[in-house]
Amino acid sequence: TIGLQVSSGLQDLSLRDRGGRRRDFHDLGVNTRQAMVHVQESKSGFSGKMIKLTTNHFRLTSRPQWALYQYHVGYSPEIEARRLRSALLFQHEEHIGKTHAFDGSILFLPKKLENKVTELFSRTRNREDVKITITLTNELPPTSPTCLQFYNIIFRRLLKMLNLQQIGRNYYNPSDPVSIPNHRLMVWLGFTSSILQYEENIMLCADVSHKVLRGETVLDTMHSLHSQVGEERFRDTCAKELIGLIVLTKYNNRTYRIDDIDWDNNPKGTFRKSDGSEMSFVEYYRKQYNIEISDWMQPVLISQMKQKRGNIQGSVALIPELCSLTGLTDKMRNDFNMMKDLAIHTRLPPEQRQREIGRLLNYIQKDDNVQKELRNWGLSFDYKSVSFTGRVVQGEKIFQSGNMFDYNPQFADWTKETRGVPLIHAVPVDNWLLIYTRRNYDVANTLLQSLFKVSPSMGIRMNKPSMIEVDDRTEAYLRVLQQRVTPDTNIVVCILSSSRKDKYDAIKKYLCTECPIPSQCVLARTLSKPQTIMTVATKIALQMNCKMGGELWSVEIPLKQVMIVGIDCYHDTVSGKQSIAGFVASLNQTVTRWFSRCVVQNRGQELVDGIKACLQTALRNWSKWNKCLPSRIFVYRDGVGDGQLNTLVNYEVPQFLDCLKSIGTDYSPRLTVIVVKKRVGARFFAEVAGGLKNPPPGTVVDTVVTRPEWYDFFIVSQTVKNGCVAPTHYNVIYDTSQLKPDHVQRLTYKLCHMYYNWSGIIRVPAPCQYAHKLAFLVGQSIHREPNLMLSDRLYYL
Amino acid sequence: MDKNFQEEFTQIIKFKPPLYKQRHQFIKDLVEKYRPKKVADLGCADCSLLRMLKFCSCIEVLAGLDICANVMKEKMHTLSPLPVDYLQPSERSLTVTLHHGSVAHKDPCMLGFDLVTCIELIEHLEEPELKKFPEVVFGFMAPSIVVISTPNSEFNPLLPGVMLYRHPDHKFEWNQAQFQSWALETARCYDYSVEFTGVGHPPTGMEKAGFCTQIGVFVRKYPQAGESVQSEKPTEAVYKTVFKAVYPSLKDEKYLQNAVISEVIFTAQIIKHRLMSKREEYGDDPERKSKFQPSMDCFSDYLGKLVVEKNMEPFISGNEVYIPLATIFSFPKVNRLCGTFEKLCKLIAGKVTLSSDGSAVMFNIENEEN
């Protein structure tokens, strides 16, 4: 009788989240595996050494024959207000029981009511009789998608019962914060949690989450920005620093995203209340919350309210003085010292992390009310996390000009091994410019001498550059570029005296669009330490070489005629709400050269059309380089948000196929599309000698904690010095390659070795990281598609 | 539980703002006038009045009491401190407690209050409870002020659809004479004075009906009972505490210390930053004068004035930057938090790196850069 369907129309309805949103963050119900015959039986690989792993997943158990009963609740006469609907229904607790979940129209009960249709009568205050009809619509088995949503809602209820504070999607414990006064930061410890159907069980995935809060208001931040940058750049800087940030308010428990700053408004300005009357902000906050706004000259922040399906539903004005900032800005992320201080508190080593997670489970186990709630629903948790075996695949060999290197798997890095070894393809630097300000004359010379020292052993031939001294102004740099860059220039190196972004942006913009020449910007500060100058110079020499079309090293790629594509997105929050998709595609057999393009689009536009054009040009270029078309294409797609998988499967993949079809009727390459996700809740710990350690790079997990409806796997590819290593999730959503899972996993891992800005293994396949770099450069500095003359080089590194 | 919003539905045509809001506003005005420190709401239901009162800056103790725990629990989490309350602890302390129990029983947790409100409460009481009510509230709790509101039955004919009582749970509804005689008798008995008022004006021509909600404000005539008197009273706890929230406050040493350390280091960082950038980028930037808003750049002007004074100038020596505590103490925010220089020194002792003589905050700038 399980799965009984009474009214089909109501079956798709799902429980409503807080705020009435219905969003499927977990991409439930997107079943891509069923279309891939070759992984129906098994999607597991076999190569590598076995490793015992523990994870942060906990089994959810329900008593046998458990089912959730879903009812539709109707009112006659119709009643709009959700609160009144609830109140009228709950007058009948003796009928429906004390344990229930109700969102205004759908009622979930742990028990079955006597009749399929129950009619109840309630009376409102104005003596109006209301008939409530409770109709059984569904009897849900524990694994149904609706049930999974329901578990998540119940779990959030439990977290609230534990007195944790909700910020965004996660819950935090405010009573024991860590404060970092040096940076005016406060860190709250909290938890992320999700309950999902995994390979064999429904499990809770719980992880530690840190919320960085700032002990200052938006107004404080504005003050300090003003004193830092001065009047002229004040508004611009505020926009860049503040827009996109999430704020908390002094008076309610909501978070808002800053979408705009209204400089023409201030707290004395008025707004229209819901009853139609006009009121000033000053008056409103005084009346409503007894809050006196002290600065009446501050501007007003604007936050767009998003409702269901992303429609914009008007905006809210916020007063900077009453808003506290949360999270980190890009600028803060780039602040090495700040990140170092933060890391002490946020980078928990495996054992400590597992202990903190255990604390949450402990709270749940110990709290009477929570246990009662769980019991009433007939649910419970396994309080010990799940253990299983994973595999560690063999390390790759690094090839560089006839030499072969192994690297120490513990560090996943071959900087030392390949030092002083000629590159695969070193581009000579015959004609180049070195631009610096007077103050940095010495630094420029130091750099030059060091470059001359390190280049020969790498096989790079380097001539003396044209040394050009400029004033420390953006226009001065640009004028020099206009006058001195010729079509023969190989590369321009600029030494900048401060990390002021406008100068960097202007240089990059000019040299990526109007005058397409590779460029390398270096901060003078980076070159000022004698003890590190050689390392820095080596890195700069390598980077310059890549930007001019050089190749550093390679790994063995067993597949022939294969083109690898990487896509990532960057969402520009500041200038015009653009989104940028970076697109890169390999050009040669060894996957050492990359073609790139970029799609710049305004908000609301779909990505797919632009990507189709990118793929077309990529194929054209591949065939130019290889005198044929690729027979296999792998697309690594990064930048897919939670809940967007459906769009990808239904719109983007068909576009890829369309594009391939348009090349020619006899052309049908094998296509594999893999969604890459860095931000996942899963953590793996290797059980070593009774303790927990980070699993070594090359650890592959494709059982137990993967999803049954997907062809997916995890790879831990990088190592971390502090804290826990984060696995990357790969979801093969389309695959006609006929390759075994093992081979797809190995290829993916190999590609993590191919990012030239880092002589080690990285978290994602190199094409994703290249696409990310490109999208970031364009989104941050250039804001339009770079000149295609550069498209066969890694100029965006 | 739903008395507030249901009324809103039926009477929104008649009363603007809705009647329950007018009742709340009445209490709020009273709080503004008398500025009580400890306020209890009897029959607090879904805590909506408490939610409003927690924003009143004079109140340090808020308590709610209701006979129905479920109604209180439904929205009690909205009385918890907000994240921002932790981030910027306020000057005042605030404790919010919810008790489950009856107004017919005495519990020592209700002693010592300045204001006790009973909004639309008494008409829900059964005869025996109503009888005990005056002794519990006026005799035992004995706050300086008691506010009691209840429906005025003379107004009922003007309300659409009201046959007998306004709510099925009402045990009675009094007319003005009944309420006033009960109130006067109670006041006389417990040595209070009482004044009558109300909210919800009758339509013109019907003034005789009186306010829709009648209100009695009782003020105690004798001075506050001393500690000794209170301790004689029965002290057995009968209420069950269902919720308690202690708001972070600067009165709590822990939060004060955090706030001071954070402010001191932050102030010192800014001074250091200015000192260093002056040294590094001299002549680089022209004027950085504010044309925007006077309030925005007060900091730099302020610093300019300070540096003139002796012994307060920050300086660099080798790899170390020294920022005198006296300079930091002269900043209004730090000053306001600590009060005295000695307190400042005491609070940051061992938490902030100081020069050897303890007179200045010290930063090492050797490893500053990345």
Side-chain angles (χ1 to χ4, degrees), chain B residues 142-182:
Chain B
S144 329
I145 303 168
V146 179
V147 181
I148 295 176
S149 86
T150 191
N152 165 18
S153 62
E154 288 163 74
F155 203 97
N156 285 358
L158 303 174
L159 297 172
V162 175
M163 307 299 280
L164 179 63
Y165 298 141
R166 296 184 196 174
H167 190 274
D169 189 53
H170 285 182
K171 309 299 183 297
F172 60 88
E173 280 173 9
W174 281 334
N175 61 28
Q176 297 175 77
Q178 287 169 310
F179 176 56
Q180 289 180 12
S181 81
W182 175 85

Short mmCIF file of all heavy atoms in Angstrom, two decimals, chain B residues 142-182:
data_model
loop_
_atom_site.label_atom_id
_atom_site.label_comp_id
_atom_site.label_asym_id
_atom_site.label_seq_id
_atom_site.Cartn_x
_atom_site.Cartn_y
_atom_site.Cartn_z
N ALA B 142 2.69 42.85 44.33
CA ALA B 142 2.71 44.24 44.76
C ALA B 142 3.67 45.15 43.99
O ALA B 142 4.53 45.79 44.58
CB ALA B 142 3.01 44.31 46.25
N PRO B 143 3.51 45.20 42.67
CA PRO B 143 4.38 46.09 41.89
C PRO B 143 3.94 47.55 42.05
O PRO B 143 2.86 47.80 42.57
CB PRO B 143 4.16 45.63 40.46
CG PRO B 143 2.77 45.10 40.46
CD PRO B 143 2.52 44.53 41.84
N SER B 144 4.77 48.50 41.59
CA SER B 144 4.39 49.91 41.68
C SER B 144 3.16 50.20 40.83
O SER B 144 2.31 51.00 41.21
CB SER B 144 5.51 50.83 41.20
OG SER B 144 6.75 50.26 41.44
N ILE B 145 3.10 49.56 39.66
CA ILE B 145 1.97 49.83 38.75
C ILE B 145 1.40 48.51 38.23
O ILE B 145 2.15 47.59 37.90
CB ILE B 145 2.43 50.69 37.55
CG1 ILE B 145 3.07 52.00 38.04
CG2 ILE B 145 1.27 50.98 36.61
CD1 ILE B 145 3.79 52.77 36.97
N VAL B 146 0.08 48.47 38.16
CA VAL B 146 -0.59 47.33 37.53
C VAL B 146 -1.51 47.90 36.46
O VAL B 146 -2.22 48.88 36.70
CB VAL B 146 -1.43 46.53 38.55
CG1 VAL B 146 -2.14 45.36 37.86
CG2 VAL B 146 -0.58 46.02 39.70
N VAL B 147 -1.49 47.29 35.28
CA VAL B 147 -2.41 47.70 34.23
C VAL B 147 -3.31 46.52 33.91
O VAL B 147 -2.83 45.41 33.67
CB VAL B 147 -1.66 48.12 32.95
CG1 VAL B 147 -2.65 48.57 31.88
CG2 VAL B 147 -0.68 49.23 33.25
N ILE B 148 -4.61 46.76 33.95
CA ILE B 148 -5.56 45.69 33.63
C ILE B 148 -6.48 46.17 32.52
O ILE B 148 -7.07 47.25 32.62
CB ILE B 148 -6.38 45.28 34.88
CG1 ILE B 148 -5.43 44.66 35.93
CG2 ILE B 148 -7.48 44.30 34.50
CD1 ILE B 148 -6.12 44.31 37.23
N SER B 149 -6.56 45.38 31.45
CA SER B 149 -7.51 45.74 30.39
C SER B 149 -8.50 44.59 30.22
O SER B 149 -8.15 43.43 30.47
CB SER B 149 -6.77 46.01 29.08
OG SER B 149 -6.57 44.82 28.37
N THR B 150 -9.71 44.93 29.80
CA THR B 150 -10.74 43.90 29.61
C THR B 150 -11.81 44.46 28.67
O THR B 150 -11.96 45.68 28.55
CB THR B 150 -11.32 43.50 30.99
OG1 THR B 150 -12.13 42.33 30.83
CG2 THR B 150 -12.16 44.62 31.61
N PRO B 151 -12.54 43.60 27.97
CA PRO B 151 -13.57 44.11 27.06
C PRO B 151 -14.65 44.87 27.83
O PRO B 151 -14.96 44.54 28.97
CB PRO B 151 -14.15 42.84 26.43
CG PRO B 151 -13.13 41.80 26.62
CD PRO B 151 -12.41 42.15 27.89
N ASN B 152 -15.19 45.86 27.17
CA ASN B 152 -16.31 46.62 27.74
C ASN B 152 -17.58 46.11 27.06
O ASN B 152 -17.79 46.33 25.87
CB ASN B 152 -16.06 48.10 27.46
CG ASN B 152 -17.31 48.93 27.68
OD1 ASN B 152 -18.24 48.49 28.34
ND2 ASN B 152 -17.30 50.13 27.12
N SER B 153 -18.42 45.44 27.81
CA SER B 153 -19.57 44.76 27.19
C SER B 153 -20.57 45.75 26.59
O SER B 153 -21.33 45.41 25.70
CB SER B 153 -20.27 43.86 28.21
OG SER B 153 -20.77 44.65 29.28
N GLU B 154 -20.54 47.00 27.07
CA GLU B 154 -21.46 48.01 26.51
C GLU B 154 -21.15 48.30 25.05
O GLU B 154 -21.97 48.82 24.32
CB GLU B 154 -21.36 49.31 27.32
CG GLU B 154 -22.00 49.20 28.69
CD GLU B 154 -21.54 50.32 29.61
OE1 GLU B 154 -22.00 51.45 29.43
OE2 GLU B 154 -20.71 50.03 30.49
N PHE B 155 -19.93 47.95 24.65
CA PHE B 155 -19.51 48.22 23.28
C PHE B 155 -19.94 47.09 22.34
O PHE B 155 -20.01 47.25 21.13
CB PHE B 155 -17.97 48.36 23.24
CG PHE B 155 -17.46 49.16 22.07
CD1 PHE B 155 -17.16 50.51 22.21
CD2 PHE B 155 -17.29 48.58 20.82
CE1 PHE B 155 -16.69 51.25 21.13
CE2 PHE B 155 -16.83 49.31 19.75
CZ PHE B 155 -16.52 50.66 19.91
N ASN B 156 -20.23 45.90 22.90
CA ASN B 156 -20.49 44.72 22.07
C ASN B 156 -21.57 44.90 21.00
O ASN B 156 -21.41 44.41 19.89
CB ASN B 156 -20.82 43.53 22.98
CG ASN B 156 -19.56 42.99 23.65
OD1 ASN B 156 -18.47 43.49 23.39
ND2 ASN B 156 -19.72 41.98 24.49
N PRO B 157 -22.66 45.58 21.30
CA PRO B 157 -23.70 45.75 20.26
C PRO B 157 -23.16 46.45 19.01
O PRO B 157 -23.71 46.30 17.92
CB PRO B 157 -24.74 46.63 20.96
CG PRO B 157 -24.53 46.40 22.41
CD PRO B 157 -23.08 46.15 22.59
N LEU B 158 -22.06 47.20 19.17
CA LEU B 158 -21.50 47.91 18.02
C LEU B 158 -20.59 47.03 17.18
O LEU B 158 -20.16 47.40 16.10
CB LEU B 158 -20.70 49.13 18.50
CG LEU B 158 -21.47 50.13 19.35
CD1 LEU B 158 -20.54 51.20 19.89
CD2 LEU B 158 -22.59 50.76 18.53
N LEU B 159 -20.25 45.86 17.71
CA LEU B 159 -19.34 44.96 16.98
C LEU B 159 -20.15 43.96 16.17
O LEU B 159 -21.11 43.38 16.68
CB LEU B 159 -18.44 44.21 17.97
CG LEU B 159 -17.49 45.07 18.81
CD1 LEU B 159 -16.81 44.21 19.87
CD2 LEU B 159 -16.47 45.76 17.92
N PRO B 160 -19.79 43.75 14.92
CA PRO B 160 -20.56 42.82 14.09
C PRO B 160 -20.40 41.39 14.59
O PRO B 160 -19.30 40.95 14.91
CB PRO B 160 -19.93 43.00 12.71
CG PRO B 160 -18.57 43.58 12.95
CD PRO B 160 -18.65 44.35 14.23
N GLY B 161 -21.48 40.70 14.68
CA GLY B 161 -21.43 39.26 14.93
C GLY B 161 -21.23 38.83 16.37
O GLY B 161 -21.20 37.65 16.66
N VAL B 162 -21.06 39.78 17.29
CA VAL B 162 -20.86 39.36 18.68
C VAL B 162 -22.22 39.13 19.33
O VAL B 162 -23.05 40.02 19.39
CB VAL B 162 -20.07 40.43 19.46
CG1 VAL B 162 -19.99 40.04 20.94
CG2 VAL B 162 -18.67 40.56 18.89
N MET B 163 -22.45 37.90 19.74
CA MET B 163 -23.73 37.57 20.34
C MET B 163 -23.65 37.72 21.85
O MET B 163 -24.26 38.60 22.44
CB MET B 163 -24.13 36.13 20.00
CG MET B 163 -24.11 35.82 18.53
SD MET B 163 -25.26 36.84 17.57
CE MET B 163 -26.78 35.98 17.90
N LEU B 164 -22.85 36.86 22.48
CA LEU B 164 -22.75 36.92 23.92
C LEU B 164 -21.42 37.56 24.31
O LEU B 164 -21.38 38.70 24.78
CB LEU B 164 -22.85 35.50 24.50
CG LEU B 164 -22.75 35.39 26.02
CD1 LEU B 164 -23.89 36.13 26.70
CD2 LEU B 164 -22.73 33.91 26.43
N TYR B 165 -20.31 36.84 24.07
CA TYR B 165 -18.98 37.34 24.39
C TYR B 165 -18.17 37.45 23.11
O TYR B 165 -18.47 36.82 22.10
CB TYR B 165 -18.27 36.40 25.38
CG TYR B 165 -18.97 36.29 26.71
CD1 TYR B 165 -19.05 35.08 27.37
CD2 TYR B 165 -19.55 37.42 27.30
CE1 TYR B 165 -19.69 34.96 28.59
CE2 TYR B 165 -20.19 37.32 28.52
CZ TYR B 165 -20.27 36.09 29.17
OH TYR B 165 -20.89 35.98 30.36
N ARG B 166 -17.08 38.20 23.23
CA ARG B 166 -16.25 38.40 22.04
C ARG B 166 -15.42 37.17 21.69
O ARG B 166 -14.92 37.04 20.59
CB ARG B 166 -15.30 39.59 22.25
CG ARG B 166 -16.05 40.89 22.43
CD ARG B 166 -15.10 42.05 22.54
NE ARG B 166 -15.78 43.21 23.09
CZ ARG B 166 -15.17 44.34 23.42
NH1 ARG B 166 -13.86 44.46 23.24
NH2 ARG B 166 -15.84 45.34 23.90
N HIS B 167 -15.20 36.31 22.63
CA HIS B 167 -14.37 35.13 22.39
C HIS B 167 -14.98 33.97 23.14
O HIS B 167 -15.46 34.14 24.26
CB HIS B 167 -12.94 35.40 22.88
CG HIS B 167 -11.97 34.34 22.47
ND1 HIS B 167 -11.77 33.19 23.19
CD2 HIS B 167 -11.15 34.25 21.39
CE1 HIS B 167 -10.87 32.44 22.59
NE2 HIS B 167 -10.47 33.06 21.50
N PRO B 168 -15.02 32.76 22.54
CA PRO B 168 -15.66 31.63 23.21
C PRO B 168 -15.05 31.30 24.57
O PRO B 168 -15.74 30.72 25.43
CB PRO B 168 -15.45 30.46 22.23
CG PRO B 168 -14.69 30.98 21.07
CD PRO B 168 -14.54 32.46 21.19
N ASP B 169 -13.78 31.67 24.78
CA ASP B 169 -13.15 31.34 26.06
C ASP B 169 -13.44 32.37 27.16
O ASP B 169 -13.08 32.16 28.31
CB ASP B 169 -11.63 31.20 25.88
CG ASP B 169 -10.96 30.64 27.13
OD1 ASP B 169 -11.41 29.57 27.60
OD2 ASP B 169 -10.03 31.29 27.65
N HIS B 170 -14.11 33.46 26.81
CA HIS B 170 -14.40 34.47 27.85
C HIS B 170 -15.41 33.91 28.85
O HIS B 170 -16.42 33.33 28.47
CB HIS B 170 -14.95 35.75 27.21
CG HIS B 170 -13.87 36.55 26.54
ND1 HIS B 170 -14.10 37.76 25.92
CD2 HIS B 170 -12.54 36.30 26.38
CE1 HIS B 170 -12.97 38.22 25.41
NE2 HIS B 170 -12.01 37.35 25.67
N LYS B 171 -15.09 34.10 30.14
CA LYS B 171 -16.00 33.62 31.17
C LYS B 171 -17.03 34.70 31.53
O LYS B 171 -18.09 34.41 32.06
CB LYS B 171 -15.21 33.22 32.42
CG LYS B 171 -14.04 32.27 32.14
CD LYS B 171 -14.50 30.96 31.51
CE LYS B 171 -13.36 29.96 31.30
NZ LYS B 171 -12.31 30.39 30.35
N PHE B 172 -16.65 35.93 31.26
CA PHE B 172 -17.58 37.04 31.51
C PHE B 172 -17.07 38.24 30.73
O PHE B 172 -15.91 38.27 30.29
CB PHE B 172 -17.62 37.39 33.01
CG PHE B 172 -16.28 37.81 33.56
CD1 PHE B 172 -15.86 39.15 33.50
CD2 PHE B 172 -15.42 36.86 34.13
CE1 PHE B 172 -14.61 39.51 33.98
CE2 PHE B 172 -14.17 37.24 34.61
CZ PHE B 172 -13.77 38.57 34.54
N GLU B 173 -17.93 39.20 30.51
CA GLU B 173 -17.50 40.49 30.00
C GLU B 173 -18.25 41.55 30.78
O GLU B 173 -19.47 41.50 30.87
CB GLU B 173 -17.74 40.59 28.49
CG GLU B 173 -16.64 39.87 27.70
CD GLU B 173 -16.91 39.79 26.20
OE1 GLU B 173 -17.86 40.44 25.72
OE2 GLU B 173 -16.16 39.07 25.51
N TRP B 174 -17.52 42.47 31.35
CA TRP B 174 -18.11 43.46 32.24
C TRP B 174 -18.48 44.74 31.51
O TRP B 174 -17.80 45.14 30.56
CB TRP B 174 -17.10 43.82 33.34
CG TRP B 174 -17.02 42.80 34.46
CD1 TRP B 174 -18.00 41.96 34.83
CD2 TRP B 174 -15.92 42.60 35.33
NE1 TRP B 174 -17.59 41.20 35.90
CE2 TRP B 174 -16.30 41.58 36.24
CE3 TRP B 174 -14.64 43.16 35.46
CZ2 TRP B 174 -15.46 41.11 37.23
CZ3 TRP B 174 -13.81 42.69 36.47
CH2 TRP B 174 -14.22 41.68 37.34
N ASN B 175 -19.50 45.41 32.03
CA ASN B 175 -19.74 46.77 31.55
C ASN B 175 -18.85 47.71 32.38
O ASN B 175 -18.14 47.28 33.27
CB ASN B 175 -21.23 47.14 31.63
CG ASN B 175 -21.74 47.10 33.06
OD1 ASN B 175 -20.98 47.30 34.00
ND2 ASN B 175 -23.04 46.83 33.21
N GLN B 176 -18.93 49.00 32.07
CA GLN B 176 -18.01 49.93 32.72
C GLN B 176 -18.20 49.97 34.24
O GLN B 176 -17.23 49.97 34.99
CB GLN B 176 -18.19 51.34 32.13
CG GLN B 176 -17.83 51.37 30.65
CD GLN B 176 -18.12 52.72 30.04
OE1 GLN B 176 -17.36 53.65 30.23
NE2 GLN B 176 -19.21 52.82 29.29
N ALA B 177 -19.46 49.96 34.66
CA ALA B 177 -19.74 50.05 36.10
C ALA B 177 -19.20 48.84 36.84
O ALA B 177 -18.58 48.95 37.90
CB ALA B 177 -21.25 50.19 36.31
N GLN B 178 -19.38 47.65 36.24
CA GLN B 178 -18.92 46.42 36.88
C GLN B 178 -17.40 46.41 37.05
O GLN B 178 -16.87 46.11 38.12
CB GLN B 178 -19.34 45.19 36.04
CG GLN B 178 -20.82 44.89 36.12
CD GLN B 178 -21.22 43.85 35.08
OE1 GLN B 178 -20.88 44.00 33.89
NE2 GLN B 178 -21.93 42.83 35.50
N PHE B 179 -16.72 46.78 35.95
CA PHE B 179 -15.26 46.79 35.99
C PHE B 179 -14.76 47.80 37.01
O PHE B 179 -13.89 47.52 37.83
CB PHE B 179 -14.70 47.10 34.60
CG PHE B 179 -13.19 47.23 34.57
CD1 PHE B 179 -12.37 46.20 35.03
CD2 PHE B 179 -12.58 48.39 34.09
CE1 PHE B 179 -10.98 46.32 34.99
CE2 PHE B 179 -11.20 48.52 34.07
CZ PHE B 179 -10.40 47.48 34.52
N GLN B 180 -15.37 48.99 36.97
CA GLN B 180 -14.87 50.05 37.84
C GLN B 180 -15.12 49.74 39.31
O GLN B 180 -14.26 49.99 40.16
CB GLN B 180 -15.49 51.39 37.44
CG GLN B 180 -14.91 51.85 36.11
CD GLN B 180 -15.46 53.18 35.62
OE1 GLN B 180 -16.11 53.89 36.36
NE2 GLN B 180 -15.19 53.49 34.37
N SER B 181 -16.24 49.11 39.61
CA SER B 181 -16.49 48.83 41.03
C SER B 181 -15.55 47.74 41.53
O SER B 181 -15.00 47.82 42.63
CB SER B 181 -17.96 48.45 41.27
OG SER B 181 -18.16 47.10 40.93
N TRP B 182 -15.28 46.74 40.66
CA TRP B 182 -14.31 45.68 41.02
C TRP B 182 -12.93 46.30 41.23
O TRP B 182 -12.24 46.01 42.19
CB TRP B 182 -14.27 44.63 39.90
CG TRP B 182 -13.22 43.55 40.11
CD1 TRP B 182 -13.37 42.41 40.85
CD2 TRP B 182 -11.87 43.54 39.60
NE1 TRP B 182 -12.22 41.68 40.82
CE2 TRP B 182 -11.27 42.34 40.06
CE3 TRP B 182 -11.13 44.41 38.79
CZ2 TRP B 182 -9.96 42.00 39.75
CZ3 TRP B 182 -9.83 44.06 38.49
CH2 TRP B 182 -9.25 42.87 38.96
#
